[in-house]
Amino acid sequence: MATITYKFLHFANLKDIPNWSVQYADEEDLGFTKKYPMAKIGSFLVKSRDIIEVQDDVEYKQVTLKINNGGVVPRNNGATLIGSKIGTKRQHVIHAGQFIMSKIDARNGAYGIVPAELEGAIVTNDFPVFDVDTKKIIPQFLVLVSTTDKFVEFARKYSSGTTNRKRIDIDAFLNQQIPLPSIEEQEKMVEIYNALVDKAHICEQEVKEKEKELLHHWLETLGIDISLNEKVASDSLSFTNLSSLYQWGVDFIVKQKRQKGFSRYYKCCRIMDLCKIGSGGTPSRGHREYYNGNIPWVKTGELDNNILSDTEEKITPEAMSNSSAKLYPKGCIIIAMYGATIGKTAKLGIEATTNQACAVLHDFDDALINVDYLWYYLQTQTNKFKELAYGGAQPNINAGIVSEYLVPLPTLDIQESIVKHTQQIKAEIIKLSSNAIKERCEAINLIQKLLFKTL
């Protein structure tokens, strides 16, 4: 009997359809190479059923997954949590070597293998856990496959729900086929991948060492005692002049006093004595036409101790006329004053406006301060600015705090020398960071080249 082939009509067995939907009826072709035999993920993964009831008087380890193959990591910085503070009482116990995924972030490559140090931790149903048949597949090889671009695209297609809570369909995941080379070939791929990633890790570690070296250079050169970063005892009596206070609060007053006179070698000047300080504004979002202009408009999320040569949004002259936004010249320094970005900085490489969460330093006194010296110094002070933040749900600093902030003031030639050294170290950091990114990209591209048809 002849077999009829249809170009557009597709037939599927009822038993193969885990859900009534056209997308399930059509086999998903991710473009895998035909060099290796294919196998359904469910043929080597079995969902773990180790479930417990959380007890109020017992402490538990909890975990989460980082996106983009970032690994399985402990919650709460590794601290345990008493059961009485855990809302979901029915949880899964995880074990070393198991494959785990995040239903919500599967579409962002959140898959991993449980490390030995997280043996016995617990997770909710949003983190399905599977035992792996290691005779068929190496767990890390499965992680590599599941975090390729094409597989992540598949996970996005099969995730549904509200915008920020989309969950992948587990049946679709388990029914998806992937290439299954021999164990020996899998081991070789994993070995090559790890060698490249190890090179990236070395570069990233060197970046951290360079950053630490740079910070210590600033502290030593300016005569700043590193112990100032430690907590000051709060059980002693302390006096301060009322005229020197610009924010009420005992903790705030102590933090303010801790900064004064901290350089052993140089006098300190307030930022307000070195330059002018401005801010910006947000044009009404009710006027969409305000955001269809060509005037760069900076938000604090764009500040990352970088030189800004462009902005995500741009406003019109009318937007400036009808808001507090002001146009600042190239070379100004911006400091974030609100929320998680407090203390982050940027230097304007273009003329730009900002929102009100930015403090803008401009019109510098060239006889006193090297602009790059001030900018690099402020980058060493991020944590200090965060300490000075106040408020409830979203702590912030204000222009007054920025104005009063002290800066050690060596001579201009010493400032220039510090700037040159800083730029040299930063150039090395940029090169190392680029090498790390290059090695990671090479590792990912290698796996994709081996597993997919010619891209």
Side-chain angles (χ1 to χ4, degrees), residues 31 35 49 62 68 72 124 156 170 187 198 228 237 264 277-278 283 326 347 375 388 393 416 434 455:
K35 181 179 178 181
R49 301 294 179 185
Q62 296 178 299
N68 302 322
V72 186
T124 66
R156 287 175 183 159
I170 297 301
E187 287 175 343
D198 286 345
L228 284 173
L237 187 62
R264 298 190 300 272
I277 302 165
K326 305 176 186 68
K347 185 179 178 184
W375 183 35
L388 293 171
E416 185 177 349
S434 296
L455 300 176

Side-chain angles (χ1 to χ4, degrees), residues 131-151:
D131 294 314
V132 184
D133 185 347
T134 54
K135 293 180 180 179
K136 295 181 179 179
I137 193 166
I138 297 173
Q140 192 183 353
F141 176 75
L142 175 57
V143 173
L144 295 184
V145 175
S146 59
T147 50
T148 57
D149 292 343
K150 287 288 187 180
F151 198 95

Side-chain angles (χ1 to χ4, degrees), residues 60-64 73-82 86:
Y60 298 91
K61 289 184 291 185
Q62 296 178 299
V63 305
T64 189
V73 296
R75 285 186 186 273
N76 311 315
N77 295 318
T80 56
L81 191 65
I82 193 73
I86 298 175

Side-chain angles (χ1 to χ4, degrees), residues 256-397:
Q256 182 186 341
K257 290 186 68 178
R258 280 171 58 191
Q259 199 204 355
K260 295 188 181 298
F262 64 93
S263 174
R264 298 190 300 272
Y265 305 149
Y266 306 109
K267 71 173 184 178
C268 296
C269 284
R270 297 173 300 177
I271 289 178
M272 64 185 295
D273 296 325
L274 303 172
C275 61
K276 293 179 181 178
I277 302 165
S279 186
T282 300
S284 172
R285 290 286 184 181
H287 292 268
R288 294 183 181 179
E289 68 275 12
Y290 285 173
Y291 293 87
N292 291 325
N294 56 10
I295 301 172
W297 184 67
V298 181
K299 304 186 292 290
T300 55
E302 297 172 87
L303 309 185
D304 194 21
N305 298 331
N306 51 331
I307 295 178
L308 282 173
S309 56
D310 199 5
T311 58
E312 294 174 357
E313 294 186 276
K314 295 178 175 63
I315 61 175
T316 63
E318 291 74 23
M320 286 183 59
S321 300
N322 290 283
S323 71
S324 300
K326 305 176 186 68
L327 188 64
Y328 291 100
K330 178 180 177 179
C332 293
I333 298 172
I334 305 176
I335 305 174
M337 297 191 292
Y338 291 5
T341 59
I342 287 175
K344 287 289 187 72
T345 72
K347 185 179 178 184
L348 284 182
I350 51 173
E351 289 188 335
T353 59
T354 77
N355 69 12
Q356 67 277 10
C358 298
V360 184
L361 312 188
H362 60 100
D363 290 331
F364 303 94
D365 187 338
D366 295 334
L368 292 176
I369 195 74
N370 178 304
V371 176
D372 283 330
Y373 167 82
L374 177 58
W375 183 35
Y376 292 144
Y377 173 72
L378 291 174
Q379 291 177 35
T380 72
Q381 300 297 295
T382 303
N383 290 335
K384 296 288 187 181
F385 278 116
K386 288 180 179 177
E387 285 183 5
L388 293 171
Y390 63 95
Q394 187 184 37
N396 61 78
I397 58 176

Side-chain angles (χ1 to χ4, degrees), residues 1 59 71 118 123 129 178 191 201 212 216 243 250 252 284 304 306 320 359 369 372 380 384 435 443:
M1 180 178 176
E59 292 191 345
L118 292 177
V123 292
V129 188
I178 66 169
E191 181 184 344
H201 281 153
K212 189 184 299 183
H216 286 176
S243 61
V250 174
F252 189 89
S284 172
D304 194 21
N306 51 331
M320 286 183 59
I369 195 74
D372 283 330
T380 72
K384 296 288 187 181
N435 288 341

Side-chain angles (χ1 to χ4, degrees), residues 206-207 209-215 217-218 418-432:
E206 288 183 27
V207 165
E209 292 300 320
K210 290 289 182 184
E211 289 173 341
K212 189 184 299 183
E213 173 191 333
L214 186 57
L215 177 59
H217 176 76
W218 274 87
I418 295 173
V419 166
K420 286 182 178 179
H421 178 80
T422 300
Q423 290 173 338
Q424 177 185 338
I425 299 299
K426 281 185 173 290
E428 293 174 11
I429 289 173
I430 290 171
K431 184 176 180 180
L432 286 166

